[in-house]
Amino acid sequence: MSEEVRTLEDLKEAVAPTAEAAPAEPKLDKYGRAYATGKRKDAVARVWIKPGSGRISVNDKELEVYFARPVLRMMLRQPLVATQRDNQFDIIVKVSGGGLSGQAGAVRHGISKALTYYEPGLRPTLKRAGFLTRDSRVVERKKYGQAKARRSFQFSKR
């Protein structure tokens, strides 16, 4: 630090250039699977993905049985469709807590994170689509002196 820095050029010369970030390595377990946890409202989903034929099982049931509504199934497949990996991975999901809509959101979040762990190059695509952001909205708690979280008791003058 005995050198005196007076201009930006001097600063550039004084600071050694740092090595560029190495490409991220896939995070896989000993079975060749990527694991991630997804969350939404009160629901928590544990997701494992591995190369396969596109089979998805949720809590040891087929996807069509567990999530009967087509909107929820479409929601789960969004990260796979966005990255053109629709029938390339077998996905095993254990989900608990919350209702079906929250669970579907948690599974979508978990699938997105697991895809980035399996193929780090997919991260920009999933990030741009908003699948990696955890939706932090939760139910507001009920307050004392009120009927619900925001609803007051009915006012009566007499």
Side-chain angles (χ1 to χ4, degrees):
M1 286 300 186
S2 62
E3 298 176 20
E4 197 170 314
V5 178
R6 294 178 188 247
T7 64
L8 288 175
E9 286 74 29
D10 293 341
L11 182 62
K12 287 179 186 175
E13 292 171 10
V15 177
T18 57
E20 291 185 21
E25 293 292 319
K27 296 180 187 175
L28 304 177
D29 63 5
K30 63 181 180 180
Y31 302 109
R33 305 176 301 185
Y35 168 78
T37 305
K39 295 182 180 182
R40 168 81 172 96
K41 293 188 178 180
D42 275 341
V44 178
R46 297 179 297 152
V47 179
W48 290 268
I49 67 168
K50 62 181 178 180
S53 59
R55 194 172 150 272
I56 301 175
S57 73
V58 182
N59 289 353
D60 298 323
K61 296 179 183 175
E62 289 298 316
L63 177 67
E64 289 74 22
V65 175
Y66 194 85
F67 290 112
R69 296 201 319 241
V71 173
L72 299 179
R73 291 197 302 262
M74 184 252 332
M75 206 170 132
L76 293 189
R77 293 190 185 278
Q78 282 177 335
L80 298 168
V81 171
T83 57
Q84 287 122 26
R85 305 285 191 275
D86 202 11
N87 291 319
Q88 294 182 15
F89 292 106
D90 286 343
I91 301 173
I92 300 156
V93 179
K94 301 289 184 193
V95 64
S96 63
L100 281 179
S101 178
Q103 287 184 350
V107 172
R108 180 177 82 169
H109 186 227
I111 289 173
S112 302
K113 285 174 62 176
L115 278 172
T116 61
Y117 293 152
Y118 195 87
E119 283 186 64
L122 298 177
R123 184 173 172 79
T125 307
L126 293 168
K127 186 75 172 169
R128 208 172 307 115
F131 298 139
L132 295 177
T133 305
R134 188 224 194 270
D135 191 352
S136 60
R137 296 177 295 169
V138 292
V139 178
E140 191 174 343
R141 74 172 189 87
K142 181 193 175 303
K143 280 76 170 190
Y144 61 88
Q146 293 191 336
K148 293 166 67 176
R150 298 192 177 196
R151 167 104 170 75
S152 301
F153 293 113
Q154 184 174 352
F155 175 75
S156 174
K157 198 167 187 179
R158 297 185 206 338

